[in-house]
Amino acid sequence: MAQKPSIPKGTRDFSPKEVSKRTYIMNTIKAQFEKFGFQPIETPSFENSDTLMGKYGEEGDRLIFKILNSGDFLKKANQEAYKNSDSLKLTSSISEKALRYDLTVPFARYVVQHQSEVEFPFKRYQIQPVWRADRPQKGRFREFFQCDADVVGSNSLWQEVEFIQLYDDVFTKLKLEGVTIKLNNRKVLSGFAEVIGEQDRLIDFTVALDKLDKIGEEGVKKEMLEKGISLEALKNIQPIFGLKGNFGEKVEVLKQILSNSEIGMKGVEELEFIQNVISEMPLKSALLDLDVTLARGLNYYTGAIFEVAPPAIVKMGSIGGGGRYDDLTGIFGLKDMSGVGISFGLDRIYLVLEELDLFPDTVTANTKVLFINFGEKEALYGLKAVQKLRDAGIAAEIYPDTSKMKKQMNYANRREIPFVVLAGEEEMNNKVYGLKDMVSGDQEKISLEAMIDRLS
Amino acid sequence: MAQKPSIPKGTRDFSPKEVSKRTYIMNTIKAQFEKFGFQPIETPSFENSDTLMGKYGEEGDRLIFKILNSGDFLKKANQEAYKNSDSLKLTSSISEKALRYDLTVPFARYVVQHQSEVEFPFKRYQIQPVWRADRPQKGRFREFFQCDADVVGSNSLWQEVEFIQLYDDVFTKLKLEGVTIKLNNRKVLSGFAEVIGEQDRLIDFTVALDKLDKIGEEGVKKEMLEKGISLEALKNIQPIFGLKGNFGEKVEVLKQILSNSEIGMKGVEELEFIQNVISEMPLKSALLDLDVTLARGLNYYTGAIFEVAPPAIVKMGSIGGGGRYDDLTGIFGLKDMSGVGISFGLDRIYLVLEELDLFPDTVTANTKVLFINFGEKEALYGLKAVQKLRDAGIAAEIYPDTSKMKKQMNYANRREIPFVVLAGEEEMNNKVYGLKDMVSGDQEKISLEAMIDRLS
């Protein structure tokens, strides 16, 4: 049954080096999450379909991977849909489970289901894969990890401050200095819509404004016009198209524009609080910027909106984002739970660290020393030393077969193992080991104790 | 759209404590894998269906979770199967992908697909979830993690030795002393079948023998008789039903029984080699035993067979197992690749450690200190200290809201946070912090530096 093996499009195999680098990023994020008091949870890879369906809009529903019921699944099939060959309608009757699409909805489900066991405010983090039946393209996969931290059960702005510090800490630890943490507030966007008398077109307005970077002021205005927003009204908020200066200067401009909008001024006040605290406690390596064009998942964000851009020298989209969403758990029946959270884009962070050569050399878990296998007696002599090395925390291997020396040395070379031990009868008699440095080529005969010291 | 949320049967949510304990076990296993020179790989959660189907027998095929094709999946449906409402035949035409059922087949697929990038012998480990549509019951789940280490590309017996040492090291590190590593060899089982003239009934023979523990000698013989194995012939191997003594003594009995079976004697020789090396390098805390009734996945094991039993005081099935299988990758077209590997049963190890109270107290990642929030100024004063504590590697939180003192203290209690900081105006003026030990109730006013020392 020989077949050329492959994997489904949009999925990936990860080689040892890739796994090690991904683990390094995830462990760095985890360690910071835990220092900030976030606790890990994990949820099942698949949920009941009705937990997920209808939570991500029509497009989202389409992109959710559905799991076919086991056994004679047609028994329960919707007869009408079956007769009409209606795939869409048939689905729910032959598939009860679906792969999770993100970590936020399962988190909301978890909070409601376990509300009696959980302490509020509940600070949780979750690092697990999600699946989307999206068209695969460069940098977009059908299986990818999300790394989320959220707090639910408090609307304190101190949390927004802490999330900014958390971003700063993680990227500083990763030695990725100079990221920009962009901050906005949904209430400011609502204020803009109010000031131009277009509260009903808030989404059209922000979707267009979000494109300022890409299509420029004229493009944005053209799109707004097409959506029925009067250009005349836009004059009231004209300054936002050319907003310049530092955070505080931008805030002053907003105060003028939004002075007649209660909700807008509430948003400005929130931005100002965050800015004041951060100015008292300067960030380590990240920059904080106010970006009024930032909208992201506007449909559910209700307060702060975050996005992180990599240093300008890297051409890459955002490497993190998040925001506050009131009523996170309302969809599952637990009302009035405000939530705020952020996410790290693992795949993009990986690409950025790779491009800037920021992975430490020590990241790749690799064997430190290979013992050459000269035969049964020598292998036993070697394995005894290997065991002592391992006990001392040194990754060590013995070549399993008595192959030709060249083959064994090639193995060490290709695996990039930095040291090789050659120990034959003479070394055994003298209770020493021939340690060869594969980089310098230097070779010396040393005792086991000296070797442990040397390789530790 | 309020609904009582739940998760699919056979799946689990993991709470922060559970995640931390599971992570502790996995990290311990990982660290040992790496010291033994195994390298991590990861494969996609779903594979093309034809990669998995037909690899686990008919029962296995049934238990594989299939993913429904996206979009209008009925377009490509097998028309005949559709007309006949034949679920089984319809499946392959409406589902092209399936969730992985184990880590071995994806590993074989990986090796063949990446054979030019991989160094042989290839030592890989893989810790990822697998999914099976099995009937859920106590201790059996539809989603669970497997922790596998395998070597492919060598048939050296040194690897069997190293896997025994690896089991010993992992369980010693987990402080689970006194596990029994049971060893058998498929060739010995083949030898038995040969000696009684029932080579064709090898599987019936070993399936029955495997039950000796449960149904006793009479039960086993009864089953063999039913399968057509002559009891007269069994006399030739009668001693295996009451095999006693240490490893070496058992080997001597086998030598007598199998003296006329070439394959049987080969198996004995392999067992003896392993035993000889282990006697030169005694295990740290595990016991090695020869168990000729051990069969496990006989269908593919061709040499050594391993199984690990927890200490006798715990009533629990095996917590690990594995063996050698020649021609691991043949199903994907790469012939003559011998493989040998072992697996750790994460869920059962968890239960054993829990029952014996072997999880270290430090396992649960938890916040060390909570700062009580008395108001905006105090919170800022507190957050500055929190930042320094975090920088020193101490998990610290500030309560986000200015809630009643009692509520904040309750939060600390229920989260089992061992220290609380109370800092009001007086402390701010004196640049100190009121540190309260939540266990002893002791309270003291100390400087930030002293607090960092104290909590480190």
Side-chain angles (χ1 to χ4, degrees), chain A residues 67-78:
Chain A
I67 294 173
L68 196 56
N69 290 345
S70 301
D72 186 7
F73 56 87
L74 288 177
K75 250 189 187 167
K76 286 193 196 167
N78 177 325

Side-chain angles (χ1 to χ4, degrees), chain A residues 273-300:
Chain A
F273 175 85
I274 296 167
Q275 152 69 3
N276 284 342
V277 177
I278 296 294
S279 69
E280 285 269 343
M281 305 175 64
L283 298 179
K284 288 166 184 161
S285 76
L287 312 166
L288 181 64
D289 192 19
L290 172 54
D291 182 353
V292 295
T293 70
L294 189 63
R296 291 184 66 89
L298 178 87
N299 296 343
Y300 49 96

